[in-house]
Amino acid sequence: MRSTQIRSTFLDYFTSRGHRQVPSSPLIPSDPTLLLANAGMNQFKPYFLGEVSPEYRRATTIQKCARTSDIDNVGRTNRHATFFEMMGNFSFGDYFKADAIAYAWELLTQGYNLEKDRLWITVYEDDDEAEQLWRKIGVPAERIQRLGMEDNYWSMGVPGPCGPCSEVNYDRGPAFGREGGPAVDGERYVEIWNLVFMQYQRGEGDKKGNFPILGELAQQSIDTGLGLDRLAAILQDVENVCTTDLLMPTLNTVRELAGRDYPGSGEEKVSFQVVTEHARSIAYLIADGVLPSKDGRGYVLRRLMRRAIRHARLLGVDQPVLAPATTSVIANLGDVWPELTDQANLIEQVVTAEEDSFTRTLTQGTRLLTAAITRTRESRSGSLPGETAFELADTYGFPLELTVEAAHDAGLTVDEDRFATLLDEQRKRAKMGGKAKTADALRRQDTYRELSAHLSRTDFLGYEHLTAEVAVLGLISGGAVTTSAPEGSDIEFVLDRSPFYAEAGGQVGDTGTLRTEDGTLLRITDTRYGLEGFRVHSARVLEGELRTGARGEASVDVDRRKGLMRSHSATHILHAVVRATLGDHARQQGSLVESDRLRFDFAHFSAVTPDQLTRIEAAVNGHVLDDPAVRAWHADRAEAEAAGAIALFGEKYGDTVRIVDIGDFSRELCGGTHVAHGSQVGAFRLLSEGSIGSNLRRIEALTGYGALHHQDTERRLLDEVSALLATRPKDAPETLRKRLDALSAAQQELGRLRETELRNRAQQFAASARQVVGGRIVTQKVTDLGPDELRTLAAHTADLLNGDHAVVVFATGHTGKAHLAAAVTRSLHDTGIQASQILTAAARSVGGGAGGKGTVASAGGRCAEALDQALAIAAEDAARVLSR
């Protein structure tokens, strides 16, 4: 049964039984607690937690999953992979154990026609009910095994839903391992389907992973996962996933590149499978917007790519491997997963650039490592120093695992403990600079907690109102809670309600004023969250004394807020345009929204071209001029995601989220403030674009009045330049170009004339050379040359004296400093004399030093008044050198 039929059989079975077919979520999850989507239940997490009420009680999916926890087992077992498709069925308070077990048994034995006597079941050691249900359905007791919490109990790793699980395993036969069931051999008895029975609420666990059960959930639910890879290997009667129809075309591509057959065992087989399996993971990750980087999910991708490249090199593949391997993945699976086809060009560009870069790293690192291995052997040591491994990794980007493998091949070990110590020391040094700030931040948090313990959350009014009648509930001065603050003091305070937006989502906090009923006036300089939902206003008391309980009117700086709204809406428009121009992978990674300017960070693997930047700026302004409506609305998290709202990774969102729509082209989860219509952005001016890290770019731009002021400044500058050139603004570039060409030609002619003059003067000085014992000397003070021309004159003069042993020394005063230049003829230099020897003592006399190698040297110092003395010293040293 081919994989396409395996998928359709699964989906048809469950949709015919009332399950809603839900598309796979992307590999980049909207859940900030997850690096990558690693299970079918990820997108349904709000339902299981009870945060959102689902619109359907049953669901079925085929979810893209990425897990690298078992990366070292890929290729060494028949069942491990870093990417897989998880087929699942889910119940949200509808059916439970009996139906989940019945569905699984019926589909496996009738839908997929698996032999019943080859199916083994594991249940949690205390789950009598599950065992009885399996026995009732026809599984004999001897093929049901009870296992502990590590194998047959599920939780998210944090307080929340949990419960026992039951796994269906398939006996692949004696050729794959020992008898005794899944408790004995996981290679022979392969787990294919896991049924999770969510029925309990767990509490906080300890360091050993133990946690208390707090009671039963209000609604019992089902989460299951059937691995397509493993089932395909069974149904197609092949050894492992790389030889199923899911990956066989890619394996064949690797075979062609390696120029050898796929072996039945050994390290070569491991390398074939690693390259093949990783190529699939790489293609899917890039298609879903992951780009290689130094940390996070980008590091996961980079590690997969480097591991695949390294194993390809072990197979003797010296040519690029990632591009053809991922191309075969796209050709084979693109019909099922169209995002692969849509992002084919991006995938090729990213893998090609990364392989080129890593190949250079391998070349340089291998050369250095080879030298280090040779030194280690010569020292008769059996271990490569940890310092060497750390330098290779830290300075040259050469992965530790490659160092370990190369050392192992050479019969050496690596001092990995020392490597770990050095790495830890480096991290500690990086943290040292922020210790004081961290300690201060912790003290502030303690103070905020002290206040929040008896204060309610701040009621935010700022979407509709920029002024409000408020009461001061809490006051902080000098980092401690207080009840009053005198005039001139800098304080923080908390209000019962506030029109001030607290910094979040890149938008900086509001500023403004607070005027109390007794006339006290405060200038509010910042607003931010002290704790979640707890707004803290920073301010200076300008007049009077502020007391806890004071009432008054809080007013936001209206013009500044309007600028922030323009910039925030422009950021959303820019995000949509950047993705439309560069691809869906170019998602926002960070932003700074200020009044009349913005900073936008996004994922991308190369510099944005000038043409693309021009198109981006034009498209943003085009959307602004189209005057799209800006609408904010609220929904639960699942509804927002189903509606296509973009959630930014790392941002925290509550049960109910706020969605901001701009026209029909931008929809994002956002708590910030925005204009009502696109045209209110006013204008958008792109200032710069550049790299701020591996595959991370930054755009800086101006909005509203900031863009207009910038344009006005540029116009005035153009008018000024045009006036200086005595031409019209539109003709200024061509006029300036002609002037610059003429100036360049004049400078070249002046240079030629100056060179001729220096050569003529060199002839005069060479003719005046005086004879001394052992050769000839020229020493002269000149007054109209700079340091560079002085060296040139000395060199020309020495060239003219080259038939003899000769020394030339010139001196000049320039910009208040002393300068000397010396030159020796080539014949004198051949005897071992350096020109710098002539100036060593002379340079000290003017308070400086001499430099230069070979036949020409120079010296300088601050004591211009000692120039004559320095020249005399140089002449004496020249005569001494010649007389030897």
Side-chain angles (χ1 to χ4, degrees), residues 807-809 821-824 829 832-840 850-858:
V807 177
V808 177
V809 182
V824 299
H829 180 261
I833 301 301
Q834 301 284 336
S836 58
Q837 296 174 236
I838 311 298
L839 296 181
T840 302
K853 293 181 179 181
T855 60
V856 182
S858 60

Side-chain angles (χ1 to χ4, degrees), residues 418-431:
R418 178 60 179 159
F419 176 92
T421 298
L422 292 169
L423 184 61
D424 185 55
E425 289 175 355
Q426 184 191 58
R427 288 170 176 164
K428 287 179 179 177
R429 285 194 299 272
K431 292 179 180 178

Side-chain angles (χ1 to χ4, degrees), residues 423-700:
L423 184 61
D424 185 55
E425 289 175 355
Q426 184 191 58
R427 288 170 176 164
K428 287 179 179 177
R429 285 194 299 272
K431 292 179 180 178
M432 284 297 290
K435 272 193 171 181
K437 292 181 179 179
T438 301
D440 180 62
L442 291 173
R443 284 193 296 270
R444 295 164 72 98
Q445 289 296 303
D446 288 341
T447 304
Y448 296 152
R449 289 190 186 95
E450 181 183 345
L451 271 180
S452 65
H454 61 274
L455 297 180
S456 59
R457 294 163 63 101
T458 308
D459 185 12
F460 177 58
L461 311 173
Y463 291 133
E464 294 83 19
H465 305 285
L466 296 183
T467 61
E469 295 298 321
V470 300
V472 178
L473 300 183
L475 188 57
I476 300 171
S477 179
V481 177
T482 186
T483 58
S484 64
E487 185 174 307
S489 57
D490 293 316
I491 61 167
E492 296 177 315
F493 62 89
V494 178
L495 300 173
D496 60 337
R497 53 210 300 265
S498 174
F500 291 85
Y501 180 82
E503 181 175 349
Q507 182 176 332
V508 298
D510 278 333
T511 61
T513 60
L514 172 64
R515 171 77 74 172
T516 66
E517 294 174 346
D518 64 2
T520 299
L521 176 64
L522 290 87
R523 175 63 188 169
I524 298 174
T525 56
D526 192 19
T527 309
R528 64 185 183 280
Y529 285 108
L531 300 172
E532 187 174 350
F534 187 70
R535 279 177 168 77
V536 176
H537 306 75
S538 299
R540 165 161 284 203
V541 183
L542 300 180
E543 301 173 12
E545 181 181 35
L546 183 67
R547 293 182 177 277
T548 302
R551 305 190 66 85
E553 183 178 75
S555 300
V556 173
D557 184 331
V558 175
D559 289 340
R560 184 174 180 273
R561 166 68 86 81
K562 287 182 178 178
L564 290 168
M565 292 161 66
R566 286 190 288 264
S567 293
H568 205 151
S569 296
T571 301
H572 281 224
I573 297 172
L574 175 62
H575 189 190
V577 169
V578 165
R579 293 180 64 213
T581 305
L582 304 179
D584 286 342
H585 68 280
R587 286 181 171 239
Q588 178 177 330
Q589 301 296 307
S591 68
L592 177 64
V593 177
E594 296 181 312
S595 181
D596 297 338
R597 69 182 300 119
L598 64 88
R599 190 176 72 206
F600 178 78
D601 301 338
F602 60 100
H604 193 50
F605 55 89
S606 63
V608 184
T609 66
D611 177 65
Q612 288 173 326
L613 290 174
T614 298
R615 286 191 281 127
I616 287 170
E617 184 178 64
V620 172
N621 282 310
H623 283 307
V624 169
L625 291 173
D626 286 342
D627 195 27
V630 180
R631 181 174 72 99
W633 51 287
H634 293 81
D636 63 53
R637 181 72 178 274
E639 290 171 345
E641 291 181 358
I646 295 175
L648 303 183
F649 183 80
E651 291 290 333
K652 292 183 178 180
Y653 302 101
D655 300 345
T656 300
V657 294
R658 183 171 181 262
I659 304 101
V660 174
D661 290 346
I662 301 181
D664 59 0
F665 58 86
S666 172
R667 172 169 287 174
E668 295 188 27
L669 303 188
C670 180
T673 62
H674 289 268
V675 298
H677 290 272
S679 61
Q680 292 173 339
V681 169
F684 175 87
R685 183 65 182 272
L686 201 154
L687 290 180
S688 65
E689 187 276 340
S691 172
I692 58 169
S694 180
N695 295 310
L696 193 61
R697 312 292 299 181
R698 171 172 291 171
I699 283 176
E700 297 197 48

Side-chain angles (χ1 to χ4, degrees), residues 51-185:
E51 296 174 347
V52 176
S53 297
E55 59 182 277
Y56 41 83
R57 310 296 289 182
R58 301 180 175 199
T60 184
T61 65
I62 298 179
Q63 172 66 45
K64 296 177 291 186
C65 296
R67 293 182 193 170
T68 55
S69 54
D70 294 314
I71 189 171
D72 292 330
N73 288 323
V74 173
R76 300 191 179 278
T77 72
N78 293 315
R79 56 196 171 92
H80 287 100
T82 58
F83 174 89
F84 52 92
E85 296 177 44
M86 184 68 82
M87 304 186 293
N89 60 288
F90 307 88
S91 164
F92 313 116
D94 189 2
Y95 60 85
F96 198 51
K97 286 185 186 180
D99 287 332
I101 288 172
Y103 286 151
W105 185 256
E106 182 180 38
L107 179 55
L108 289 174
T109 59
Q110 299 181 31
Y112 294 122
N113 295 316
L114 295 181
E115 301 162 67
K116 295 180 180 180
D117 60 2
R118 300 185 76 168
L119 295 176
W120 287 65
I121 308 299
T122 62
V123 298
Y124 181 54
E125 56 191 0
D126 294 336
D127 195 349
D128 297 333
E129 180 187 7
E131 179 177 358
Q132 291 303 316
L133 288 169
W134 282 113
R135 292 181 66 175
K136 183 178 179 180
I137 214 166
V139 181
E142 60 268 21
R143 290 212 309 274
I144 302 175
Q145 295 181 328
R146 294 187 181 231
L147 299 177
M149 183 167 285
E150 183 176 348
D151 296 296
N152 278 83
Y153 205 94
W154 178 90
S155 82
M156 293 185 294
V158 295
C162 66
C165 60
S166 180
E167 295 174 352
V168 183
N169 305 266
Y170 183 81
D171 180 5
R172 302 209 69 185
F176 287 85
R178 300 174 296 165
E179 292 187 2
V184 173
D185 192 325

Side-chain angles (χ1 to χ4, degrees), residues 757-825:
E757 180 186 354
L758 289 175
R759 289 188 179 279
N760 290 336
R761 294 178 71 175
Q763 289 179 345
Q764 296 172 10
F765 287 127
S768 67
R770 56 193 173 89
Q771 187 71 42
V772 297
V773 177
R776 293 194 287 172
I777 293 178
V778 175
T779 58
Q780 185 68 44
K781 184 178 179 181
V782 295
T783 58
D784 57 347
L785 299 181
D788 292 338
E789 289 181 324
L790 200 69
R791 284 172 55 90
T792 301
L793 180 61
H796 287 339
T797 305
D799 286 343
L800 294 170
L801 297 170
N802 199 42
D804 300 319
H805 287 183
V807 177
V808 177
V809 182
F810 291 130
T812 188
H814 186 75
T815 64
K817 295 182 180 180
H819 296 278
L820 297 100
V824 299
T825 56

Side-chain angles (χ1 to χ4, degrees), residues 293-327:
S293 65
K294 294 180 180 179
D295 50 33
R297 62 174 72 93
Y299 176 74
V300 172
L301 172 60
R302 175 164 284 168
R303 186 183 180 197
L304 289 168
M305 297 169 92
R306 290 184 169 187
R307 200 164 186 267
I309 294 166
R310 178 166 59 86
H311 279 276
R313 299 297 180 263
L314 292 175
L315 291 173
V317 182
D318 294 326
Q319 59 186 304
V321 65
L322 294 183
T326 52
T327 296

